[in-house]
Amino acid sequence: MTTLTRPTPSVGSALDRVEGVEKVTGQAKYAYEYAPDDLVYAVPVQADIARGEVRSVDADAAVKLPGVIATIWYGNAPRIAPAENAELSVLQSRRVAYRGQYVAVVVADTLENAVEAARLLRVDYDVEGHDVELRADHPGMYRPEKVNPAYPADTEQGDPDEALAGAEVVVDEVYSTPAEHNNPMEPHATVAVWGDDGLTLYDSTQGATAVRDTVAPLFGLPPGNVRVVSPHVGGGFGSKGTPLSPVVLAALAAKHVGRPVKLTVTRRQMFAVIGYRTPTIQRVRLGADAEGRLKVIVHDAFEQSSRIREFAEQTTTPTRMMYAAPNRRTTHRLVRLDVPTPSWMRAPGETPGMYALESALDELAVACGIDPIELRVRNEPAADPESGLPFSSRNLVACMREGARRFGWAERDPAPGIRLRDGLLVGTGVAASTYPVYRRPSRATATALADGTFTVRIAAADIGTGARTALTQIAADALGVPTGLVRVEIGDSALPDASLAGGSMGTASWGTAVVRACEALTGALRERGGQVPPDGVEVSADTAREVGNGERYARHAFGAQFAEVAVDPGTGETRVLRLLGVFAAGRIVNPKTARSQFIGGMTMGLSMALLEESVMDREFGDYLNHDLAQYHVAACADVRDIEAVWVDEDDPHLNPMGAKGIGEIGIVGTAAAVANAVYHATGVRVRDLPIRVDRLVR
Amino acid sequence: MRPFSYLRAQDAPSAVATATGRPETMYLAGGTNLVDLMRLGVAVPDVLVDVSGIASGTVEETGDGTLLVGAGVRNSDLAADPLVRRRQPLLSQAVLAGASGQIRNMATVGGNLMQRTRCPYFQDVTKPCNKRLPGTGCPARTGENRNLAILGHSDSCVATHPSDMAVALAALGAIVHVEGADGPRTVPMPGLHRLPGDEPERDTVLGQGELITAVEVPPLPFAGRSRYRKVRDRASFAFAVVSVAVALDVADGIVRDCRIAFGGVAHAPWRAETAEAVLRGATATETEFARAAEAELAAARPLPGNAFKIPLVRNVLVRTLADLAEAS
């Protein structure tokens, strides 16, 4: 190496996305765009009953169409090994667990022919009565063993019932959130190619390693004989974090026909087969003294899952650590219904749970006549209330104070329903935000090349977050070279194993592995006197031990969300005039991509507050509004003035970057801030999302 | 997809000759609704007759102040037309309140009138629907009906007409020019779109093969003071929860004349003639506006999920009338 002076560190600077030009010029290749020779098209057939069994499939009309290669269902599908997640056992049983489940697949030479053949395929069922309605008093409610990913379902400290009975001020309300569906711009897609030595999957996924390790055993293959390629992914939000039925069905169809198969999930199919945020019913009880000091918090959540897979969302876990209170109980109850299987959607647990908790805090502030920011400051815990561990850093109060200053909170008159501006009722609201700091083991290699450049390899995923860019910056700084000399390769299971892009832990997990590999490479080069041989020098790192031996701290990011809304007093139309998020998330690796993550999350939170609802059709048992014309996500016109900023936070107890995750915290608390602002504007407390005209018009 | 033939029409009579008597034939203009319906399997034409090359794309003024809008005029061009913006602002506002910029650039006036309901059951071929498959039933009556009709619905259908533009045209008393096998004829609005009765499969009074060639907007001097007010869940790119199209003529505090139509409440744009009659000669006050709204809405029969539309229409109508009265 000839570099004598270290360049200015890149971490902390707003480096443009390293694949930006590739993306905007259409050269970045997504799963759907791979076209191996001899490619054919698979179109799945979905159950149009909610519960029962496939009796028979009549393919006569379908196979007579030109170009039809195969029709596959339980009766003739290749058998695959059982999976822990029964959603993956596609076409392995006659059972129909929910409407929209895949019951067959048609393969044809063109997409058009496959679509038409799938339309003509006749599936006969033995139909059974279904139950798709979530209610808190459902007799099937039970306590799951654990909630996602591995938290206890229930916790209790002190004597919450006695504390409630003796509290000077009590808030006792029920909040509900509807089912919501992930709608990344790129629908799920897979191109499956079987070769002499195994299976290659071009897949739209949040984790190539996880897809490989999940799919390989289903087909009796060692993981090394499955390769998953996904260099670019057009969003996921959690829906591409768990391998689900589409990728397995593509592999199965390709195996059956002996040709490469392309399978793309349509927008409508996404409302059945790729998971969703469970609807919740939440009862929150707060007991406090007259000054708003919490004596007790009780948070009970009721949720649903499908018959074939238990997914128990961790709705009340943030209530375990947000505020000080000597008495506390949190519970989760789950009912298994004839519905599609819920799964991860951006900040599962925290998002619906903090909507309820932060709405209740606002109600307590009103009941006590205390400013809602001051109420939160008064209930700030000295240590994690659940574990007693010290927080590695906790800057909720700093976020609240900074947000109040920027938002003009000091001028706020707390009286509700009294501000008319241009004929509209105007109000402001605040809510806290939080998300845990996770980290998982990953591996990486770092290579010095003879031409003076470096390559870093890790099977990380950039689902639009900017991960590739952030890792480039992290690697460059660890090597002490400019970013232009570093090439980061991700999105391929042939690269060193990595944890998935989920839980806001990508940068922390992958970045640790990248730093360790780069440090090792720097050491190796030093030993060689800085000389790089013609075939380069490569070293690798594995963070399993480092990640497993962390210091004992409670690690969480925090934030404060401020909203200003205008409500038409005649129609109830609610529009968000301003959104401000202030976050404390450790060191920000790239302010440009970080801002996109924060405001993207906040936009999704706004959308949740006002628009998003997957409507369960009780008669037929599916989510009825299964396209983007009917399932409303926020449009540009809904997002007027949105700003995300962050406070400096130096936390030495996290990872080599000092960074907390930022992919999910932006959505946490937004809906409560909006709902609290609607109360301030109108005097009407809406406790059921979304806040649409029918909840407000009189 | 199902194979189909595609023909490009040479002129209106030959297009009509091709389509008349062949129910499997459909006209294609902007395609912004029909292509979606074909993808969904809701529309399964054997033959598409593309009329986009023959339909007039101009807005012409005739001697008496009438505007003749060609059926092929793009929605975005209609909304931007200087004469429309000055004389019938409610029509321009209605068009701009619909769809998105990209869709308005493709969608035509004729196609806008002929678009189908967005009832979720109509659009899902795995479920019954009397409009799509007569005699199969209407699950919307007991199912999800938040966005569906409160006025003029029948046991067989509770769908709403989705167009914003048609609501403004109904208020303005537009006249639809139609070419048929027996030559041209005109259909007044309201009157083009039907109430469902026991034939919900028929959206309009047009016969198979009849082709809209133009829409005539007669002069209405007081329409210079008019407004289209649409209530929607999302700030853009969403169908109306309800809407009102209002033109108001007030002098000395008295309503001389008015035109009122509702959208999002019925199988057709709903001309509020009862409310209009109440208002003519009444004082221009919120009390009278509310009386007129309630008179019209006395006929409403809400479904389990959409009773909120009654106060919603009332409030938005009263507010719109009051705003127009104040501006006069």
Side-chain angles (χ1 to χ4, degrees), chain A residues 60-81:
Chain A
D60 285 355
V63 297
K64 282 183 191 136
L65 286 179
V68 174
I69 295 160
T71 60
I72 313 167
W73 66 294
Y74 165 72
N76 65 347
R79 295 279 86 92
I80 58 176

Side-chain angles (χ1 to χ4, degrees), chain B residues 53-320:
Chain B
I54 60 164
S56 160
T58 60
V59 180
E60 293 168 30
E61 188 187 13
T62 61
D64 63 350
T66 297
L67 293 181
L68 195 62
V69 182
V73 171
R74 302 287 163 177
N75 284 188
S76 42
D77 291 337
L78 177 64
D81 187 273
L83 285 176
V84 173
R85 285 165 56 97
R86 191 166 68 245
R87 292 188 191 161
Q88 290 98 3
L90 82 175
L91 178 55
S92 177
Q93 291 165 13
V95 173
L96 290 176
S100 67
Q102 292 91 335
I103 289 174
R104 291 193 297 269
N105 285 341
M106 287 295 291
T108 64
V109 165
N112 188 315
L113 290 173
M114 295 303 289
Q115 66 180 305
R116 314 290 319 264
T117 183
R118 294 326 196 269
C119 175
Y121 298 94
F122 173 74
Q123 296 186 97
D124 186 343
V125 295
T126 69
K127 294 177 181 173
C129 169
N130 286 327
K131 182 181 279 298
R132 180 168 31 79
L133 273 178
T136 54
C138 176
R141 284 199 76 84
T142 51
E144 174 62 21
N145 46 42
R146 174 183 184 266
N147 295 330
L148 301 177
I150 58 170
L151 284 161
H153 53 80
S154 69
D155 286 345
S156 64
C157 184
V158 294
T160 49
H161 195 263
S163 171
D164 293 298
M165 183 193 76
V167 181
L169 291 177
L172 290 167
I175 296 160
V176 180
H177 291 225
V178 177
E179 181 82 20
D182 303 326
R185 69 168 176 135
T186 57
V187 180
M189 287 188 69
L192 174 71
H193 299 94
R194 301 175 63 256
L195 293 182
D198 53 8
E199 285 184 295
E201 67 277 16
R202 293 183 58 211
D203 290 356
T204 70
V205 300
L206 300 187
Q208 168 62 35
E210 284 196 300
L211 176 67
I212 296 174
T213 55
V215 175
E216 180 185 332
V217 184
L220 185 70
F222 66 87
R225 190 157 51 245
S226 64
R227 183 165 298 178
Y228 186 76
R229 172 74 165 90
K230 176 176 179 174
V231 177
R232 50 184 158 184
D233 292 323
R234 183 161 60 184
S236 78
F237 206 4
F239 292 97
V241 179
V242 304
S243 66
V244 299
V246 182
L248 185 67
D249 183 11
V250 174
D252 305 325
I254 303 294
V255 176
R256 287 202 301 213
D257 201 356
C258 63
R259 297 289 180 83
I260 302 171
F262 301 156
V265 297
H267 195 262
W270 187 268
R271 179 73 176 268
E273 288 174 353
T274 305
E276 291 177 9
V278 169
L279 282 179
R280 280 190 196 97
T283 55
T285 61
E286 291 205 16
T287 310
E288 289 300 299
F289 298 153
R291 198 167 66 84
E294 276 154 19
E296 188 68 42
L297 291 164
R301 290 175 296 133
L303 302 166
N306 68 10
F308 74 95
K309 283 191 176 185
I310 295 176
L312 190 57
V313 179
R314 182 195 63 215
N315 293 352
V316 77
L317 177 60
V318 170
R319 184 81 258 140
T320 306

Side-chain angles (χ1 to χ4, degrees), chain A residues 446-465:
Chain A
T447 310
L449 301 172
D451 65 1
T453 67
F454 300 85
T455 303
V456 173
R457 295 187 175 91
I458 180 168
D462 190 327
I463 59 171
T465 53

Side-chain angles (χ1 to χ4, degrees), chain A residues 291-652:
Chain A
E291 285 74 47
R293 283 184 190 82
L294 285 165
K295 301 298 172 198
V296 53
I297 309 175
V298 178
H299 192 168
D300 304 305
F302 301 88
E303 315 163 354
Q304 72 187 31
S305 193
S306 70
R307 300 277 181 201
I308 55 170
R309 184 185 178 215
E310 178 184 272
F311 177 81
E313 186 155 326
Q314 72 277 33
T315 307
T316 72
T317 55
T319 301
R320 296 172 184 171
M321 47 63 67
M322 274 307 289
Y323 300 111
N327 304 285
R328 185 183 323 251
R329 180 163 64 228
T330 65
T331 70
H332 297 85
R333 295 293 177 270
L334 194 67
V335 62
R336 309 290 284 277
L337 300 171
D338 304 304
V339 295
T341 308
S343 184
W344 300 327
M345 181 168 178
R346 206 171 198 169
E350 279 75 17
T351 299
M354 287 290 279
Y355 158 68
L357 178 66
E358 292 299 298
S359 295
L361 259 286
D362 201 64
E363 301 210 48
L364 181 64
V366 171
C368 295
I370 298 171
D371 179 81
I373 292 177
E374 180 57 28
L375 178 73
R376 287 168 174 89
V377 172
R378 278 183 198 177
N379 289 292
E380 180 73 359
D384 176 16
E386 184 181 23
S387 65
L389 291 173
F391 286 101
S392 65
S393 57
R394 178 174 167 124
N395 284 299
L396 174 61
V397 173
C399 291
M400 288 276 169
R401 298 279 191 233
E402 176 64 10
R405 186 184 71 75
R406 287 172 177 264
F407 202 70
W409 191 261
E411 289 83 54
R412 182 181 191 257
D413 177 348
I418 56 166
R419 283 155 300 277
L420 264 181
R421 193 194 299 162
D422 299 331
L424 302 175
L425 287 164
V426 176
T428 52
V430 67
S433 188
T434 190
Y435 197 80
V437 176
Y438 299 115
R439 191 164 57 144
R440 294 276 186 277
S442 290
R443 297 176 187 171
T445 62
T447 310
L449 301 172
D451 65 1
T453 67
F454 300 85
T455 303
V456 173
R457 295 187 175 91
I458 180 168
D462 190 327
I463 59 171
T465 53
R468 188 183 272 106
T469 308
L471 293 179
T472 302
Q473 295 178 269
I474 290 165
D477 285 7
L479 292 164
V481 302
T483 53
L485 295 182
V486 179
R487 175 183 163 79
V488 171
E489 294 181 6
I490 62 170
D492 189 331
S493 68
L495 300 168
D497 292 3
S499 58
L500 52 80
S504 296
M505 64 185 174
T507 301
S509 307
W510 310 325
T512 301
V514 166
V515 166
R516 298 309 175 218
C518 290
E519 286 171 350
L521 180 62
T522 305
L525 289 172
R526 198 179 300 120
E527 283 172 15
R528 293 165 178 271
Q531 295 306 308
V532 179
D535 53 349
V537 178
E538 178 170 300
V539 302
S540 61
D542 182 340
T543 64
R545 183 177 301 230
E546 177 179 356
V547 168
N549 291 342
E551 304 164 280
R552 300 261 297 151
Y553 283 99
R555 298 178 177 86
H556 303 265
F558 291 90
Q561 305 244 15
F562 294 78
E564 181 179 36
V565 303
V567 182
D568 187 307
T571 66
E573 288 163 291
T574 301
R575 303 290 183 243
V576 176
L577 304 178
R578 280 197 292 160
L579 265 188
L580 168 67
V582 183
F583 300 97
R587 193 167 173 209
I588 298 301
V589 174
N590 182 325
K592 197 171 191 173
T593 52
R595 179 177 177 275
S596 292
Q597 286 296 297
F598 288 133
I599 67 171
M602 292 163 68
T603 298
M604 215 161 160
L606 181 162
S607 197
M608 171 192 183
L610 300 185
L611 298 167
E612 293 190 39
E613 176 179 18
S614 302
V615 178
M616 173 51 68
D617 185 337
R618 287 208 295 271
E619 180 176 354
F620 297 98
D622 61 348
Y623 285 107
L624 180 72
N625 51 335
H626 48 188
D627 58 45
L628 290 174
Q630 301 180 82
Y631 182 94
H632 285 169
V633 299
C636 289
D638 293 290
V639 185
R640 301 183 184 189
D641 177 344
I642 188 167
E643 191 183 356
V645 298
W646 42 89
V647 298
D648 290 333
E649 188 172 76
D650 182 13
D651 187 333

